[in-house]
Amino acid sequence: MQGPDRSVGLPYDPPMLGDRIAGFVTGRRRLVAGVAVLVSVLAGWGAAGLGFDTAIRSWFLDDDPVVVSYAAFQESFGADEIVLVLVSAPAGATVFTPDGLAAIHRIAEGASAVPQAARVRSLLDVPVARWADGAIQIGPLVDSVPETAEAADPLRADALASELLRETFVTPDARSALILVELDPAQTDIDQKIALVDGIRAAVVTAAVPDRLTVTLSGLPVIDSAVGDLARRDALSIGPLSGGVIVLVGILVFGRLRTAIVPLLVVGIAVLWTLGFTRAVGWQFGILGGPLLNVILAVGVADSVHLIADVLHRMGRGEEAGPALRASLSELLLPCFFTSITTVAGFLALTTSEVGPVREFGVMAAVGAFFAFLLTFTVLPLFLGLVKPPGPAFLHRQTHGVLARGLARLASHTPRRDRVILAAFALALGVGAWGMTQVHIGANPIGFFHPGTPAREDTLVVEERAGGAGTIEIVVEAPESGLKDPSVLARMDVVQRWLATRPGVTSVRSVLDALRETHRALKRGDPAAAVLPSTRPLAAQLHLLLEGDADFAAVVQEDASRARMTVRFNLSELESLIAAIPAIEARLTEASSADLTFTATGYGMLFARLEGYLVDSQVRGMLIAFVVITVMLGLLLRSLPLALFAMIPNLGPVIVGLAIMAAAGIPLDPGTLMVGPLALGLVVDDTVHFLVRYRRLRAAGRSAEEATAEAITGTGRALVLTTVLLAASFLVLLGAGTAMAMHFGVIAA
């Protein structure tokens, strides 16, 4: 046998440090236990007050220019978040009946009483301009709900003739009517949105809606509310399910329930500490809360499994529990430290994302992984009394079981088998590299829900019957009362009509519609007079007639120098709209001049920006994770070229995973964009354990072939077990309430 190869020694291999830690922990059990209990109590107290924030707005950083622009718009014009309440009659029927109109009135009246509602509008109370009794009158179509069908018919004709009401409050076939409930701009956190939606639903219940009518709710507050409910459910269910999987796999691996519980106890404390940390830094649980708990439990348990498996292996050879623990700590401290910090590095790479919850997820997951490592080497020895010496069946499986035989066969490699493995890997890598380029972006909140989820299906119903629930707001600025200038109004009209033809856009509304409607009324209701004023005095007269109307004041400000143009679009067609955003922005820039400018903002622009952030975050996170982990491996192995070589097989799972996403039609969204950096930080753990054992064997005098074989058989069992445990834990997310979390779990597994 050749002599030891000192050139491959590890940079710092402290055989005594683990023994010192074991001696300290076992010798000062009360101190260690006391500190652990104190920190856990404080963390539990903090975690008890942890809140939730799953609103779409929370995905963005506060200093994001798009968010700043959107906040300025809301400060001027109020919130643009609206709940759409669709009241529909059966096909071929109409809501313009006494009982239908009475139901609309009662729902609107009940919604007005909800504290979080700023304003409620329906076809019964929206002020419109009409010629009556020899003068223009601006007010609701009716003073009271018609009591007979004969009285309701003229109301139907008037509503369909009104450009302000048609397609905004009533559908052209008169089958459906919309009630718009605006969210109070001072009450926009997730709990207040949930309260608004719950209050509207309660108003519908108490409105005694006739059986022939259906009521459907949609809008971004409804979606935010639904996501919030699902995220809370996931946070309460995913953790216990993941814990159950950990115990189940532990029983299968270790053969004893008591032994299987130990890793769960350790990682459970790590989760509690992480939740306390989250509260301490002022963060809240978001849409990624369920996956976060799952990740900490799955990732954090690996070190405990490695340590317990090694202790059991030594005890099976006849060593006492104490010496076995000290030897295992000495053996595994260095590889577990490096696997933990590479995992932490993968998580921290997510902090470069421009998506707020992803940043916070990266920090919290990194903290949880660090806590799990710390607790494994300090608190786990306190539970050693639960770990009993393995029985004969366990020892037999260690040497003669299916896994042992498979590892032995894998260790006895041949040049021919090596070539086959390399060829298959290269083929998978090539196909995967092409496939990952086909992944599509999923910034659409509709895609966050499973098919059949009420929020998803209701939104699709509202879009089909009455138009989109999403909005883009165009801020129009025309200095010196420019909105009374006919030429400015005409240029606005060109832009408004062009916007109405964009993909996914269902309607565009602005001050122009009110001016046309008022001009038609001024001409005694002549439909041909529904045009913009041709002179400035006429425009000024129309503005004067509309002054004091709350709806008009909500779209025109600063003495007709500033206005809003609201573009409604279908959320189901968001991808098409996002693709058109560059052209929209270019068109607005082209139409702008010194006396008229257009600036796009609103939720639609947030979604468009989010799509770009998803791609940038994926690329940046992967690159940073790769560089940092490679440098760490280089330090561990004292060789950067070897570290680069070792990273090749670790890129394989990431590339193939992204290709599977493309093949399965799973989008890149705020959940799945985390898979790349996270997986890179996890898969390298096996490499670290293998290479540390390999380097030690080479330094002890083994040949490369012998060291490879012994490293496979020596570390393989623990690697397989932790991999199975990780995959099983991630697959728990198949039961997640959101499609985003489910997709994350599948690809991570």
Side-chain angles (χ1 to χ4, degrees), residues 397-448:
R397 289 198 304 271
Q398 295 282 309
T399 54
H400 298 89
V402 174
L403 180 54
R405 295 197 304 270
L407 291 172
R409 179 175 174 78
L410 185 62
S412 60
H413 64 93
T414 63
R416 183 175 181 275
R417 188 188 303 168
D418 291 347
R419 288 193 293 270
V420 172
I421 291 174
L422 286 174
F425 176 73
L427 178 62
L429 209 60
V431 173
W434 173 82
M436 65 183 289
T437 63
Q438 308 304 307
V439 175
H440 71 280
I441 313 301
N444 192 338
I446 295 296
F448 298 166

CSV table of all heavy atoms in Angstrom, one decimal, residues 397-448:
chain,number,residue,atom,x,y,z
A,397,ARG,N,-28.7,-5.1,8.8
A,397,ARG,CA,-29.0,-4.3,7.7
A,397,ARG,C,-27.8,-3.4,7.3
A,397,ARG,O,-27.6,-3.0,6.2
A,397,ARG,CB,-30.2,-3.4,8.0
A,397,ARG,CG,-31.6,-4.1,8.0
A,397,ARG,CD,-32.7,-3.1,7.9
A,397,ARG,NE,-32.7,-2.1,8.9
A,397,ARG,CZ,-33.3,-2.2,10.1
A,397,ARG,NH1,-33.9,-3.3,10.4
A,397,ARG,NH2,-33.2,-1.2,10.9
A,398,GLN,N,-27.1,-3.0,8.3
A,398,GLN,CA,-25.9,-2.1,8.1
A,398,GLN,C,-24.9,-2.8,7.1
A,398,GLN,O,-24.2,-2.1,6.4
A,398,GLN,CB,-25.2,-1.8,9.4
A,398,GLN,CG,-26.0,-1.0,10.4
A,398,GLN,CD,-26.1,0.5,10.0
A,398,GLN,OE1,-25.0,1.1,9.7
A,398,GLN,NE2,-27.2,1.1,9.9
A,399,THR,N,-24.8,-4.1,7.2
A,399,THR,CA,-23.8,-4.8,6.4
A,399,THR,C,-24.3,-5.7,5.3
A,399,THR,O,-23.6,-6.0,4.3
A,399,THR,CB,-22.9,-5.7,7.4
A,399,THR,OG1,-23.8,-6.6,8.1
A,399,THR,CG2,-22.1,-4.8,8.3
A,400,HIS,N,-25.6,-6.1,5.5
A,400,HIS,CA,-26.1,-7.1,4.5
A,400,HIS,C,-27.5,-6.6,3.9
A,400,HIS,O,-28.1,-7.3,3.1
A,400,HIS,CB,-26.3,-8.4,5.1
A,400,HIS,CG,-25.0,-9.1,5.6
A,400,HIS,ND1,-24.5,-8.9,6.9
A,400,HIS,CD2,-24.1,-9.9,5.0
A,400,HIS,CE1,-23.4,-9.5,7.0
A,400,HIS,NE2,-23.1,-10.1,5.9
A,401,GLY,N,-27.9,-5.5,4.3
A,401,GLY,CA,-29.2,-5.0,3.7
A,401,GLY,C,-29.1,-4.6,2.3
A,401,GLY,O,-28.1,-4.5,1.7
A,402,VAL,N,-30.3,-4.2,1.7
A,402,VAL,CA,-30.4,-3.8,0.3
A,402,VAL,C,-29.5,-2.6,0.1
A,402,VAL,O,-28.7,-2.5,-0.9
A,402,VAL,CB,-31.8,-3.5,-0.1
A,402,VAL,CG1,-31.9,-3.0,-1.5
A,402,VAL,CG2,-32.7,-4.8,0.0
A,403,LEU,N,-29.5,-1.6,1.0
A,403,LEU,CA,-28.8,-0.4,0.8
A,403,LEU,C,-27.3,-0.7,0.9
A,403,LEU,O,-26.5,-0.2,0.1
A,403,LEU,CB,-29.1,0.6,1.8
A,403,LEU,CG,-28.4,2.0,1.8
A,403,LEU,CD1,-28.5,2.6,0.4
A,403,LEU,CD2,-28.9,2.9,2.9
A,404,ALA,N,-26.9,-1.6,1.8
A,404,ALA,CA,-25.5,-1.9,2.0
A,404,ALA,C,-25.0,-2.6,0.7
A,404,ALA,O,-23.8,-2.3,0.2
A,404,ALA,CB,-25.3,-2.8,3.2
A,405,ARG,N,-25.8,-3.5,0.2
A,405,ARG,CA,-25.3,-4.3,-1.0
A,405,ARG,C,-25.2,-3.3,-2.2
A,405,ARG,O,-24.3,-3.4,-3.0
A,405,ARG,CB,-26.3,-5.4,-1.3
A,405,ARG,CG,-26.3,-6.5,-0.3
A,405,ARG,CD,-27.0,-7.8,-0.8
A,405,ARG,NE,-28.3,-7.5,-1.3
A,405,ARG,CZ,-29.4,-7.6,-0.5
A,405,ARG,NH1,-29.3,-7.9,0.8
A,405,ARG,NH2,-30.6,-7.4,-1.0
A,406,GLY,N,-26.2,-2.4,-2.3
A,406,GLY,CA,-26.2,-1.4,-3.4
A,406,GLY,C,-24.9,-0.5,-3.3
A,406,GLY,O,-24.3,-0.2,-4.4
A,407,LEU,N,-24.6,-0.1,-2.1
A,407,LEU,CA,-23.4,0.8,-2.0
A,407,LEU,C,-22.1,0.0,-2.3
A,407,LEU,O,-21.2,0.6,-2.9
A,407,LEU,CB,-23.4,1.4,-0.6
A,407,LEU,CG,-24.4,2.4,-0.2
A,407,LEU,CD1,-24.4,2.7,1.3
A,407,LEU,CD2,-24.3,3.7,-1.0
A,408,ALA,N,-22.1,-1.2,-1.9
A,408,ALA,CA,-20.9,-2.1,-2.2
A,408,ALA,C,-20.8,-2.3,-3.7
A,408,ALA,O,-19.6,-2.2,-4.2
A,408,ALA,CB,-21.0,-3.4,-1.5
A,409,ARG,N,-21.9,-2.5,-4.4
A,409,ARG,CA,-21.8,-2.6,-5.8
A,409,ARG,C,-21.4,-1.3,-6.5
A,409,ARG,O,-20.6,-1.3,-7.4
A,409,ARG,CB,-23.2,-3.1,-6.3
A,409,ARG,CG,-23.2,-3.2,-7.9
A,409,ARG,CD,-24.6,-3.8,-8.3
A,409,ARG,NE,-24.7,-3.8,-9.7
A,409,ARG,CZ,-24.1,-4.8,-10.5
A,409,ARG,NH1,-23.4,-5.7,-10.0
A,409,ARG,NH2,-24.3,-4.7,-11.8
A,410,LEU,N,-21.9,-0.2,-6.0
A,410,LEU,CA,-21.5,1.1,-6.5
A,410,LEU,C,-20.0,1.4,-6.3
A,410,LEU,O,-19.4,2.0,-7.2
A,410,LEU,CB,-22.4,2.2,-5.9
A,410,LEU,CG,-22.2,3.6,-6.5
A,410,LEU,CD1,-22.6,3.7,-7.9
A,410,LEU,CD2,-23.0,4.6,-5.7
A,411,ALA,N,-19.5,0.9,-5.2
A,411,ALA,CA,-18.1,1.2,-4.9
A,411,ALA,C,-17.2,0.4,-5.7
A,411,ALA,O,-16.0,0.8,-6.0
A,411,ALA,CB,-17.8,0.9,-3.4
A,412,SER,N,-17.6,-0.8,-6.2
A,412,SER,CA,-16.7,-1.6,-7.0
A,412,SER,C,-16.9,-1.2,-8.5
A,412,SER,O,-17.4,-2.0,-9.3
A,412,SER,CB,-17.1,-3.1,-6.8
A,412,SER,OG,-18.5,-3.3,-7.2
A,413,HIS,N,-16.5,0.0,-8.8
A,413,HIS,CA,-16.8,0.5,-10.1
A,413,HIS,C,-15.7,0.0,-11.1
A,413,HIS,O,-14.7,-0.5,-10.7
A,413,HIS,CB,-16.7,2.0,-10.1
A,413,HIS,CG,-15.3,2.6,-9.7
A,413,HIS,ND1,-14.4,2.9,-10.7
A,413,HIS,CD2,-14.8,2.8,-8.5
A,413,HIS,CE1,-13.3,3.3,-10.0
A,413,HIS,NE2,-13.5,3.3,-8.7
A,414,THR,N,-16.1,0.0,-12.4
A,414,THR,CA,-15.2,-0.4,-13.5
A,414,THR,C,-15.1,0.7,-14.5
A,414,THR,O,-16.0,1.6,-14.6
A,414,THR,CB,-15.7,-1.7,-14.2
A,414,THR,OG1,-17.0,-1.3,-14.8
A,414,THR,CG2,-15.9,-2.8,-13.2
A,415,PRO,N,-14.0,0.8,-15.3
A,415,PRO,CA,-13.9,1.8,-16.3
A,415,PRO,C,-15.0,1.9,-17.2
A,415,PRO,O,-15.5,2.9,-17.6
A,415,PRO,CB,-12.6,1.5,-17.0
A,415,PRO,CG,-11.8,0.7,-16.0
A,415,PRO,CD,-12.8,-0.1,-15.2
A,416,ARG,N,-15.6,0.7,-17.6
A,416,ARG,CA,-16.7,0.7,-18.5
A,416,ARG,C,-17.9,1.3,-17.9
A,416,ARG,O,-18.7,2.1,-18.5
A,416,ARG,CB,-17.0,-0.8,-18.9
A,416,ARG,CG,-18.2,-0.9,-19.9
A,416,ARG,CD,-18.3,-2.3,-20.4
A,416,ARG,NE,-19.4,-2.5,-21.4
A,416,ARG,CZ,-20.7,-2.6,-21.1
A,416,ARG,NH1,-21.0,-2.7,-19.8
A,416,ARG,NH2,-21.6,-2.7,-22.0
A,417,ARG,N,-18.2,0.9,-16.6
A,417,ARG,CA,-19.3,1.5,-15.9
A,417,ARG,C,-19.2,3.0,-15.7
A,417,ARG,O,-20.1,3.8,-15.8
A,417,ARG,CB,-19.5,0.8,-14.5
A,417,ARG,CG,-20.8,1.3,-13.8
A,417,ARG,CD,-20.9,0.7,-12.4
A,417,ARG,NE,-20.8,-0.7,-12.4
A,417,ARG,CZ,-20.6,-1.4,-11.3
A,417,ARG,NH1,-20.4,-0.8,-10.1
A,417,ARG,NH2,-20.5,-2.7,-11.3
A,418,ASP,N,-17.9,3.4,-15.4
A,418,ASP,CA,-17.7,4.9,-15.3
A,418,ASP,C,-18.0,5.6,-16.6
A,418,ASP,O,-18.6,6.7,-16.5
A,418,ASP,CB,-16.2,5.1,-15.0
A,418,ASP,CG,-15.8,4.6,-13.6
A,418,ASP,OD1,-16.7,4.3,-12.8
A,418,ASP,OD2,-14.6,4.5,-13.3
A,419,ARG,N,-17.7,5.0,-17.7
A,419,ARG,CA,-18.0,5.7,-19.0
A,419,ARG,C,-19.5,5.8,-19.2
A,419,ARG,O,-20.0,6.8,-19.7
A,419,ARG,CB,-17.3,5.0,-20.1
A,419,ARG,CG,-15.7,5.1,-20.2
A,419,ARG,CD,-15.2,4.7,-21.5
A,419,ARG,NE,-15.3,3.2,-21.6
A,419,ARG,CZ,-14.4,2.3,-21.2
A,419,ARG,NH1,-13.3,2.7,-20.6
A,419,ARG,NH2,-14.6,1.0,-21.4
A,420,VAL,N,-20.2,4.7,-18.9
A,420,VAL,CA,-21.6,4.8,-19.0
A,420,VAL,C,-22.3,5.8,-18.2
A,420,VAL,O,-23.1,6.6,-18.6
A,420,VAL,CB,-22.2,3.4,-18.7
A,420,VAL,CG1,-23.8,3.4,-18.7
A,420,VAL,CG2,-21.7,2.3,-19.7
A,421,ILE,N,-21.8,5.9,-16.9
A,421,ILE,CA,-22.3,6.9,-16.0
A,421,ILE,C,-22.1,8.3,-16.5
A,421,ILE,O,-22.9,9.2,-16.5
A,421,ILE,CB,-21.7,6.7,-14.6
A,421,ILE,CG1,-22.3,5.4,-14.0
A,421,ILE,CG2,-22.1,7.9,-13.7
A,421,ILE,CD1,-21.6,5.0,-12.6
A,422,LEU,N,-20.8,8.5,-16.9
A,422,LEU,CA,-20.5,9.9,-17.4
A,422,LEU,C,-21.3,10.2,-18.7
A,422,LEU,O,-21.7,11.4,-18.8
A,422,LEU,CB,-19.0,9.9,-17.7
A,422,LEU,CG,-18.1,10.0,-16.5
A,422,LEU,CD1,-16.6,9.9,-16.9
A,422,LEU,CD2,-18.3,11.3,-15.7
A,423,ALA,N,-21.5,9.3,-19.6
A,423,ALA,CA,-22.2,9.5,-20.8
A,423,ALA,C,-23.7,9.9,-20.5
A,423,ALA,O,-24.2,10.8,-21.0
A,423,ALA,CB,-22.1,8.3,-21.7
A,424,ALA,N,-24.3,9.1,-19.5
A,424,ALA,CA,-25.7,9.4,-19.2
A,424,ALA,C,-25.8,10.7,-18.5
A,424,ALA,O,-26.7,11.5,-18.7
A,424,ALA,CB,-26.2,8.3,-18.2
A,425,PHE,N,-24.8,11.1,-17.6
A,425,PHE,CA,-24.8,12.4,-17.0
A,425,PHE,C,-24.7,13.5,-18.0
A,425,PHE,O,-25.4,14.5,-17.9
A,425,PHE,CB,-23.7,12.4,-15.9
A,425,PHE,CG,-23.6,13.8,-15.3
A,425,PHE,CD1,-24.5,14.2,-14.3
A,425,PHE,CD2,-22.6,14.6,-15.6
A,425,PHE,CE1,-24.4,15.4,-13.7
A,425,PHE,CE2,-22.5,15.9,-14.9
A,425,PHE,CZ,-23.4,16.2,-14.0
A,426,ALA,N,-23.8,13.3,-18.9
A,426,ALA,CA,-23.6,14.4,-19.9
A,426,ALA,C,-24.9,14.6,-20.8
A,426,ALA,O,-25.2,15.7,-21.1
A,426,ALA,CB,-22.4,14.0,-20.8
A,427,LEU,N,-25.5,13.5,-21.1
A,427,LEU,CA,-26.7,13.5,-21.9
A,427,LEU,C,-27.8,14.3,-21.1
A,427,LEU,O,-28.5,15.1,-21.6
A,427,LEU,CB,-27.2,12.1,-22.3
A,427,LEU,CG,-28.5,12.1,-23.1
A,427,LEU,CD1,-28.4,12.8,-24.4
A,427,LEU,CD2,-29.0,10.6,-23.3
A,428,ALA,N,-28.0,13.9,-19.8
A,428,ALA,CA,-29.0,14.5,-19.0
A,428,ALA,C,-28.7,16.0,-18.8
A,428,ALA,O,-29.6,16.8,-18.9
A,428,ALA,CB,-29.1,13.8,-17.6
A,429,LEU,N,-27.4,16.3,-18.7
A,429,LEU,CA,-27.0,17.7,-18.5
A,429,LEU,C,-27.3,18.5,-19.8
A,429,LEU,O,-27.8,19.7,-19.8
A,429,LEU,CB,-25.6,17.8,-18.2
A,429,LEU,CG,-25.1,19.0,-17.4
A,429,LEU,CD1,-25.8,19.0,-16.0
A,429,LEU,CD2,-23.6,19.0,-17.2
A,430,GLY,N,-27.0,18.0,-21.0
A,430,GLY,CA,-27.3,18.6,-22.2
A,430,GLY,C,-28.8,18.9,-22.5
A,430,GLY,O,-29.2,20.0,-22.8
A,431,VAL,N,-29.6,17.8,-22.3
A,431,VAL,CA,-31.0,17.9,-22.5
A,431,VAL,C,-31.6,18.9,-21.4
A,431,VAL,O,-32.4,19.8,-21.8
A,431,VAL,CB,-31.7,16.6,-22.3
A,431,VAL,CG1,-33.2,16.7,-22.3
A,431,VAL,CG2,-31.2,15.6,-23.4
A,432,GLY,N,-31.1,18.8,-20.2
A,432,GLY,CA,-31.6,19.7,-19.2
A,432,GLY,C,-31.2,21.2,-19.4
A,432,GLY,O,-32.0,22.1,-19.2
A,433,ALA,N,-30.0,21.4,-20.0
A,433,ALA,CA,-29.6,22.8,-20.3
A,433,ALA,C,-30.5,23.4,-21.3
A,433,ALA,O,-30.8,24.6,-21.3
A,433,ALA,CB,-28.1,22.8,-20.7
A,434,TRP,N,-30.9,22.6,-22.3
A,434,TRP,CA,-31.8,23.1,-23.3
A,434,TRP,C,-33.2,23.3,-22.7
A,434,TRP,O,-33.9,24.3,-22.9
A,434,TRP,CB,-32.0,22.2,-24.5
A,434,TRP,CG,-33.0,22.6,-25.5
A,434,TRP,CD1,-32.9,23.5,-26.4
A,434,TRP,CD2,-34.4,22.1,-25.5
A,434,TRP,NE1,-34.2,23.7,-27.1
A,434,TRP,CE2,-35.0,22.8,-26.5
A,434,TRP,CE3,-35.1,21.1,-24.8
A,434,TRP,CZ2,-36.4,22.5,-26.8
A,434,TRP,CZ3,-36.4,20.9,-25.1
A,434,TRP,CH2,-37.0,21.6,-26.1
A,435,GLY,N,-33.7,22.4,-21.9
A,435,GLY,CA,-35.0,22.4,-21.3
A,435,GLY,C,-35.2,23.6,-20.4
A,435,GLY,O,-36.3,24.2,-20.4
A,436,MET,N,-34.2,23.9,-19.6
A,436,MET,CA,-34.3,25.0,-18.7
A,436,MET,C,-34.6,26.4,-19.3
A,436,MET,O,-35.1,27.3,-18.7
A,436,MET,CB,-33.1,25.1,-17.7
A,436,MET,CG,-31.8,25.5,-18.4
A,436,MET,SD,-30.4,25.4,-17.3
A,436,MET,CE,-30.8,26.9,-16.3
A,437,THR,N,-34.2,26.5,-20.6
A,437,THR,CA,-34.4,27.7,-21.3
A,437,THR,C,-35.9,27.9,-21.7
A,437,THR,O,-36.3,29.0,-22.1
A,437,THR,CB,-33.5,27.8,-22.6
A,437,THR,OG1,-33.9,26.8,-23.5
A,437,THR,CG2,-32.1,27.7,-22.2
A,438,GLN,N,-36.7,26.8,-21.6
A,438,GLN,CA,-38.1,26.9,-22.0
A,438,GLN,C,-39.0,27.2,-20.8
A,438,GLN,O,-40.2,27.2,-21.0
A,438,GLN,CB,-38.5,25.5,-22.6
A,438,GLN,CG,-37.6,25.0,-23.7
A,438,GLN,CD,-37.4,26.0,-24.8
A,438,GLN,OE1,-38.4,26.5,-25.4
A,438,GLN,NE2,-36.2,26.4,-25.2
A,439,VAL,N,-38.4,27.4,-19.6
A,439,VAL,CA,-39.3,27.8,-18.5
A,439,VAL,C,-40.0,29.1,-18.7
A,439,VAL,O,-39.3,30.1,-19.1
A,439,VAL,CB,-38.4,27.8,-17.2
A,439,VAL,CG1,-39.3,28.3,-16.0
A,439,VAL,CG2,-37.8,26.5,-16.9
A,440,HIS,N,-41.3,29.1,-18.4
A,440,HIS,CA,-42.0,30.4,-18.6
A,440,HIS,C,-42.2,31.1,-17.3
A,440,HIS,O,-42.1,30.5,-16.2
A,440,HIS,CB,-43.4,30.2,-19.3
A,440,HIS,CG,-44.4,29.5,-18.4
A,440,HIS,ND1,-44.4,28.1,-18.2
A,440,HIS,CD2,-45.4,30.0,-17.7
A,440,HIS,CE1,-45.4,27.8,-17.4
A,440,HIS,NE2,-46.0,28.9,-17.1
A,441,ILE,N,-42.4,32.4,-17.3
A,441,ILE,CA,-42.5,33.2,-16.1
A,441,ILE,C,-43.9,33.2,-15.6
A,441,ILE,O,-44.9,33.3,-16.4
A,441,ILE,CB,-42.0,34.7,-16.4
A,441,ILE,CG1,-40.7,34.7,-17.1
A,441,ILE,CG2,-41.9,35.4,-15.1
A,441,ILE,CD1,-39.6,34.0,-16.4
A,442,GLY,N,-44.1,33.1,-14.3
A,442,GLY,CA,-45.5,33.1,-13.7
A,442,GLY,C,-45.7,34.1,-12.7
A,442,GLY,O,-45.8,33.8,-11.5
A,443,ALA,N,-45.9,35.4,-13.2
A,443,ALA,CA,-46.2,36.5,-12.2
A,443,ALA,C,-47.7,36.6,-12.0
A,443,ALA,O,-48.1,37.5,-11.3
A,443,ALA,CB,-45.6,37.8,-12.8
A,444,ASN,N,-48.5,35.7,-12.7
A,444,ASN,CA,-49.9,35.9,-12.6
A,444,ASN,C,-50.5,35.3,-11.3
A,444,ASN,O,-50.3,34.1,-11.0
A,444,ASN,CB,-50.6,35.1,-13.8
A,444,ASN,CG,-52.0,35.4,-14.0
A,444,ASN,OD1,-52.7,35.9,-13.0
A,444,ASN,ND2,-52.5,35.2,-15.2
A,445,PRO,N,-51.2,36.1,-10.5
A,445,PRO,CA,-51.7,35.6,-9.2
A,445,PRO,C,-52.7,34.5,-9.4
A,445,PRO,O,-53.0,33.7,-8.5
A,445,PRO,CB,-52.3,36.8,-8.5
A,445,PRO,CG,-52.5,37.8,-9.6
A,445,PRO,CD,-51.5,37.5,-10.6
A,446,ILE,N,-53.4,34.5,-10.6
A,446,ILE,CA,-54.4,33.4,-10.8
A,446,ILE,C,-53.6,32.0,-10.7
A,446,ILE,O,-54.2,31.0,-10.3
A,446,ILE,CB,-55.0,33.6,-12.2
A,446,ILE,CG1,-55.9,34.9,-12.2
A,446,ILE,CG2,-55.9,32.4,-12.5
A,446,ILE,CD1,-57.0,34.9,-11.3
A,447,GLY,N,-52.4,32.0,-11.2
A,447,GLY,CA,-51.7,30.8,-11.2
A,447,GLY,C,-51.2,30.3,-9.9
A,447,GLY,O,-50.7,29.2,-9.7
A,448,PHE,N,-51.3,31.2,-8.9
A,448,PHE,CA,-50.9,30.8,-7.5
A,448,PHE,C,-51.9,29.8,-6.9
A,448,PHE,O,-51.6,29.1,-5.9
A,448,PHE,CB,-50.8,32.0,-6.6
A,448,PHE,CG,-49.8,33.0,-7.0
A,448,PHE,CD1,-49.8,34.2,-6.4
A,448,PHE,CD2,-48.8,32.7,-7.9
A,448,PHE,CE1,-48.8,35.2,-6.8
A,448,PHE,CE2,-47.9,33.6,-8.3
A,448,PHE,CZ,-47.9,34.9,-7.8
